[in-house]
Amino acid sequence: MSQREAVPERFDGQPELGEEDRALVEGVLARQLRPLAKAITLIESSRPDHQRRAEAVLQALLPHTGGALRLGISGVPGVGKSTFIEALGLYLIERGHRVAVLAVDPSSSVSGGSILGDKTRMERLSRDPRAFIRPSPSAGSLGGVAEKTRETMLVCEAAGFDVVIVETVGVGQSETAVANMTDMFVLLQLPNAGDDLQGIKKGIMELADLIVINKADADSAAAMRAKAQLETALHMLRPAHPDWRVPVLLVSALKREGLDRFWETVLAFRDTMQKNGALAEKRRRQALAWMWERIDAELKRRFRQHPAVRTMLPAIERDVESGRLAPVVAARRLLDASQTISQ
């Protein structure tokens, strides 16, 4: 490759850092917020040259990652995720931690825009230099998490944040997505959610490592009833980890009540999973799954950009929409047209 190209490659295929990106890496490792934000912006960019630079930056930062506790938090809209995360973040930084919050906002399927309001809702936490809040649009990404959330998490770890919280939009497959990229998945529920277990899906319950009933101060009787019903439901499920029984905790994020017990439970889970080797094994599986997800996404992108596919696609889509062509036949024709995609 030419010396003028942004990211040359070494003989072993590893991307090399350009001068600008080397300064970016040094800034991230020095825990400077501006280089951290610029590195994340580079990672989120869809430009091919930026993507290659981002790969080089991530590879350089990789030895400095993995030291954080990765906490996923999800729940239905209105459960108070932002209030809970701000209260938890303030609690943690008061105890010497550095907290990064990756808050993913829903993107409009019509305009593509997103609210990006989490930084406003977490006003106190966002002003603290020991915290970093990065709102990112989901941009229609499957699972309700931003496409580059995993990469962003690694950059935050390299910048010295020892607790990384991933907050999802709490809809569709977001629970599965966040559980597959974090060490511990926390599901927030409302005090009245226990009534007949309405809205509680078995699959989501099976994913949770910890269930928190937030706003427990609003109706203590309802909160206790919900706690009892959720605990009963959990007893009927096969535990994801044989050494861990999923607890149900009562918390009031608004009054900052129950946070001590919550954090003690998180640390107990981490210690248990470290001792039995489950945490290390989980991260290994997540890394491989991440690789295959990126391969799938890149293959789909290359498929759509193939000249023959781009030429054929509008007419084939019209034929499928009108019912003149079976979707399976349409897919086969497009795949046959893209048979040189890997060359």
Side-chain angles (χ1 to χ4, degrees):
M1 296 179 67
S2 167
Q3 294 296 320
R4 295 183 180 181
E5 291 186 76
V7 185
E9 291 192 358
R10 302 200 306 260
F11 67 91
D12 58 0
Q14 293 278 10
E16 281 190 354
L17 287 171
E19 185 176 344
E20 179 183 356
D21 294 332
R22 187 174 294 109
L24 205 60
V25 168
E26 292 172 356
V28 170
L29 295 178
R31 302 186 174 187
Q32 298 172 4
L33 294 185
R34 184 174 177 81
L36 171 61
K38 290 179 66 176
I40 295 174
T41 299
L42 181 66
I43 286 169
E44 292 178 339
S45 173
S46 60
R47 283 177 43 176
D49 59 324
H50 285 179
Q51 291 176 359
R52 292 294 295 153
R53 289 175 54 198
E55 290 174 9
V57 169
L58 279 170
Q59 189 63 34
L61 292 175
L62 191 62
H64 307 278
T65 66
L69 195 159
R70 304 167 182 175
L71 193 62
I73 296 181
S74 192
V76 297
V79 77
K81 291 190 295 292
S82 295
T83 303
F84 176 81
I85 291 171
E86 179 174 53
L88 176 62
L90 292 170
Y91 172 89
L92 292 174
I93 61 178
E94 288 170 2
R95 285 152 182 79
H97 295 282
R98 298 182 75 235
V99 180
V101 179
L102 309 182
V104 185
D105 274 352
S107 296
S108 167
S109 60
V110 178
S111 67
S114 62
I115 303 169
L116 297 181
D118 283 286
K119 204 160 187 175
T120 302
R121 292 193 292 269
M122 303 181 198
E123 185 178 358
R124 287 183 60 197
L125 186 62
S126 65
R127 292 199 302 263
D128 196 294
R130 294 164 293 181
F132 176 75
I133 301 176
R134 178 73 178 199
S136 300
S138 61
S141 176
L142 184 63
V145 292
E147 185 180 0
K148 300 300 177 65
T149 301
R150 290 179 178 86
E151 289 92 335
T152 301
M153 183 167 57
L154 293 181
V155 177
C156 290
E157 290 181 350
F161 291 96
D162 60 338
V163 179
V164 179
I165 298 173
V166 181
E167 176 199 3
T168 71
V169 297
V171 294
Q173 294 177 310
S174 60
E175 290 84 4
T176 302
V178 72
N180 288 337
M181 69 174 68
T182 55
D183 301 328
M184 185 178 194
F185 173 56
V186 179
L187 181 63
L188 298 187
Q189 293 294 333
L190 291 166
N192 58 4
D195 296 339
D196 301 322
L197 297 180
Q198 290 297 320
I200 309 298
K201 297 179 181 179
K202 179 182 177 183
I204 298 174
M205 294 276 286
E206 289 176 333
L207 287 173
D209 299 307
L210 171 60
I211 296 178
V212 172
I213 299 174
N214 192 24
K215 303 183 180 181
D217 58 306
D219 188 337
S220 58
M224 289 300 297
R225 186 165 59 250
K227 183 176 187 294
Q229 292 182 346
L230 287 167
E231 286 174 339
T232 300
L234 288 167
H235 278 294
M236 298 167 60
L237 299 177
R238 181 179 179 181
H241 307 288
D243 297 333
W244 180 257
R245 184 172 296 278
V246 179
V248 180
L249 304 181
L250 301 180
V251 170
S252 170
L254 192 61
K255 294 185 177 180
R256 299 188 69 178
E257 295 174 351
L259 295 176
D260 281 327
R261 178 61 177 153
F262 172 83
W263 189 241
E264 289 171 3
T265 305
V266 171
L267 295 181
F269 175 82
R270 183 191 62 181
D271 292 344
T272 300
M273 296 300 105
Q274 284 180 333
K275 288 177 182 178
N276 63 17
L279 183 58
E281 176 60 25
K282 184 177 185 179
R283 286 196 174 187
R284 285 193 290 268
R285 291 198 310 268
Q286 288 175 345
L288 284 177
W290 178 11
M291 179 190 75
W292 282 108
E293 285 179 19
R294 298 312 308 151
I295 289 173
D296 289 343
E298 181 63 16
L299 285 174
K300 185 176 181 179
R301 185 190 68 82
R302 294 185 184 185
F303 172 80
R304 286 182 170 274
Q305 290 183 349
H306 192 282
V309 172
R310 294 176 65 179
T311 300
M312 296 171 58
L313 191 57
I316 285 185
E317 285 183 329
R318 287 193 298 269
D319 288 343
V320 170
E321 289 175 340
S322 66
R324 292 190 299 268
L325 187 64
V328 64
V329 176
R332 174 52 56 193
R333 289 183 183 178
L334 290 169
L335 287 169
D336 287 345
S338 67
Q339 60 183 341
T340 59
I341 195 169
S342 61
Q343 295 180 0

